[in-house]
Amino acid sequence: MTRPVKSKNKEDILDLAIPLFAQSGYTGVSMRDIASAVGIKAASLYHHFPDKQTLYLQAMARAFEDKAQGFATALTVTGTPEKRLAGFVQIFTTLMCKDPEFRALLQRELLDGDEVRLKKIASEVFREPFVAMEALADELAPGCDAHMVAISIASLILYHLETAPIRRYLPGGKARHNKPEVISRHVTGLLLHGLKGCGK
Amino acid sequence: MTRPVKSKNKEDILDLAIPLFAQSGYTGVSMRDIASAVGIKAASLYHHFPDKQTLYLQAMARAFEDKAQGFATALTVTGTPEKRLAGFVQIFTTLMCKDPEFRALLQRELLDGDEVRLKKIASEVFREPFVAMEALADELAPGCDAHMVAISIASLILYHLETAPIRRYLPGGKARHNKPEVISRHVTGLLLHGLKGCGK
DNA sequence: GTCTATAGCCGGATAGAC
DNA sequence: GTCTATCCGGCTATAGAC
């Protein structure tokens, strides 16, 4: 006797849609694609979501939820400001290395996201850890523009990962340049001591 | 007597297609959209290009050509390694600020570009200036990983611009953070002296 | 070189049976 | 909650007139 296949709930559908949107973007994914990944027909999706927009927005909400908490964890390191920076960079880099889907969705939102969506991501995902980063920046470099410093720290980590597909073809590109230990070590040295410190 | 509207050549079409692809990506732009921007019917595009793929690839080739030369110019500054770095950062930042289309296309290629396209962009657009950057990196920070240093420099500049849409909604974000002078000053200080130097 | 017309497919979305 | 069937519009691409 065959057991009936368990019905899918909204969360299951969103979890299957997220990697598709990360891979191909909103316009690159059809309702049929999502249905096919879930193992149902496209029409059945409309029992769970009124339209594609809504499905997408809920998938984004789910993909970004709990990220704020992960980032907050990266800022719980204690000790001197230097130690806390090193700890944050290491944990944040490892987190981002493990989550290429999150990175792709963020990149796509930066390109295509409307005001409402970006505002929501800013306040619900990044605001809290960003404020903590600014506070740390102010300790490490008093008088500097804390906003720019916080962005610079994120830049160094995220752009190394974002450029991975093309760095393969640029001189000196090695596989180890994508490892979180290598990136976080480089970034920490650079932040603390400038170019002179990046071999530390 | 009305003068006949001048027929469009391939280059005119590509120049009109480039901003569309930058704005909405490959799947987000239809042949009708392009035709409409050009002022002709979609069918007429097929007189110039065999298919959409080819049109897109030629538009990319055109959007990226001559960029290598612009980057090379940024590296012609003479003087101490520090002066040359400062000069490069300033010129490169100004160039990138003025060309949001190029930045968007690059971001989209990093997300969606296949191996062949990325390899081509790497060798034809970035290779030469990248090598020069690595040489400069080696002077400024001998013994460091020049590849990582070159990427870090680009990161700092490009990510400040890439994140502009969301930085508006993050604490401390000001309009001046998008100005090339402000960015290049911050980046140069950070590179030369670490966080302590970014207020220089 | 551009047009009209159209083929043929794929997209989002709905109706109604089970 | 999922299905089949279907609508309709948009998509790429082609044929052939001008």
Side-chain angles (χ1 to χ4, degrees):
Chain A
M1 166 181 164
T2 54
R3 210 151 32 104
V5 174
K6 188 176 164 286
S7 283
K8 308 291 179 179
N9 57 26
K10 278 175 85 143
E11 286 70 32
D12 293 331
I13 295 169
L14 295 176
D15 287 336
L16 290 159
I18 286 167
L20 296 180
F21 285 126
Q23 184 80 55
S24 308
Y26 182 79
T27 53
V29 176
S30 69
M31 293 297 269
R32 285 173 173 83
D33 292 334
I34 297 167
S36 162
V38 175
I40 59 177
K41 297 294 172 182
S44 304
L45 289 173
Y46 290 87
H47 175 76
H48 302 275
F49 308 94
D51 54 31
K52 186 186 175 185
Q53 261 300 341
T54 306
L55 194 163
Y56 175 76
L57 290 174
Q58 292 190 19
M60 288 304 100
R62 188 168 172 84
F64 284 76
E65 82 187 4
D66 302 333
K67 285 294 171 238
Q69 202 188 333
F71 298 161
T73 308
L75 282 153
T76 54
V77 183
T78 55
T80 63
E82 285 80 8
K83 287 263 182 225
R84 280 153 57 209
L85 177 72
F88 170 79
V89 170
Q90 197 210 312
I91 297 173
F92 184 73
T93 307
T94 307
L95 265 178
M96 291 294 95
C97 276
K98 278 195 283 211
D99 207 341
E101 263 162 32
F102 174 77
R103 277 156 35 211
L105 291 172
L106 176 59
Q107 277 183 256
R108 293 193 186 280
E109 283 297 312
L110 287 174
L111 277 165
D112 302 323
D114 62 29
E115 215 176 288
V116 176
R117 247 146 62 197
L118 288 169
K119 206 164 181 170
K120 196 179 162 189
I121 294 169
S123 66
E124 294 178 13
V125 182
F126 293 113
R127 191 172 214 290
E128 201 180 300
F130 196 82
V131 170
M133 279 305 309
E134 288 180 326
L136 180 54
D138 212 47
E139 282 188 77
L140 283 160
C144 283
D145 188 317
H147 177 88
M148 296 196 88
V149 172
I151 293 292
S152 290
I153 295 170
S155 302
L156 287 166
I157 296 166
L158 290 171
Y159 217 71
H160 276 276
L161 299 173
E162 196 171 307
T163 54
I166 203 171
R167 282 192 293 98
R168 290 190 60 216
Y169 306 113
L170 287 173
K174 310 272 184 239
R176 67 179 159 80
H177 290 144
N178 300 315
K179 293 198 177 190
E181 315 88 65
V182 175
I183 296 172
S184 61
R185 209 175 103 104
H186 169 82
V187 170
T188 303
L190 182 55
L191 287 169
L192 291 179
H193 310 102
L195 286 177
K196 273 166 284 195
C198 65
K200 270 216 146 178
Chain B
M1 161 181 165
T2 54
R3 205 149 37 103
V5 175
K6 186 173 165 286
S7 282
K8 308 291 179 177
N9 57 26
K10 275 174 88 144
E11 286 68 33
D12 293 331
I13 294 169
L14 295 175
D15 287 336
L16 290 160
I18 286 167
L20 296 180
F21 284 127
Q23 183 81 52
S24 309
Y26 182 78
T27 53
V29 176
S30 70
M31 293 298 267
R32 284 174 172 87
D33 292 334
I34 298 167
S36 162
V38 175
I40 59 177
K41 297 293 172 184
S44 305
L45 289 173
Y46 291 89
H47 175 77
H48 303 274
F49 309 94
D51 53 33
K52 185 186 174 184
Q53 262 298 341
T54 305
L55 194 162
Y56 175 76
L57 290 174
Q58 293 190 19
M60 288 304 100
R62 190 166 171 85
F64 283 77
E65 83 188 2
D66 301 332
K67 286 294 169 233
Q69 202 187 332
F71 298 161
T73 309
L75 281 152
T76 55
V77 184
T78 55
T80 62
E82 286 79 8
K83 288 262 182 228
R84 281 154 54 211
L85 177 72
F88 170 78
V89 169
Q90 197 212 311
I91 296 172
F92 184 71
T93 307
T94 306
L95 265 178
M96 290 295 95
C97 276
K98 278 195 283 214
D99 207 341
E101 261 162 32
F102 174 77
R103 276 156 36 212
L105 291 172
L106 176 59
Q107 278 183 257
R108 293 194 186 280
E109 283 298 312
L110 287 174
L111 276 166
D112 302 325
D114 64 28
E115 215 176 289
V116 175
R117 248 145 62 196
L118 287 168
K119 205 165 181 170
K120 196 178 162 190
I121 294 169
S123 66
E124 294 179 12
V125 182
F126 294 113
R127 191 174 213 290
E128 203 180 299
F130 196 82
V131 169
M133 279 304 309
E134 288 181 325
L136 180 54
D138 212 46
E139 283 189 77
L140 283 160
C144 283
D145 187 316
H147 176 88
M148 295 196 89
V149 172
I151 294 291
S152 290
I153 296 170
S155 302
L156 287 167
I157 297 164
L158 289 170
Y159 216 70
H160 276 276
L161 299 173
E162 195 170 310
T163 54
I166 202 170
R167 282 191 294 95
R168 290 189 59 216
Y169 306 114
L170 287 172
K174 311 269 184 242
R176 66 179 160 81
H177 291 143
N178 299 317
K179 294 199 176 189
E181 315 88 65
V182 174
I183 295 172
S184 62
R185 208 174 103 104
H186 168 85
V187 170
T188 303
L190 182 55
L191 288 168
L192 291 179
H193 309 103
L195 287 178
K196 273 166 284 197
C198 63
K200 272 215 149 180

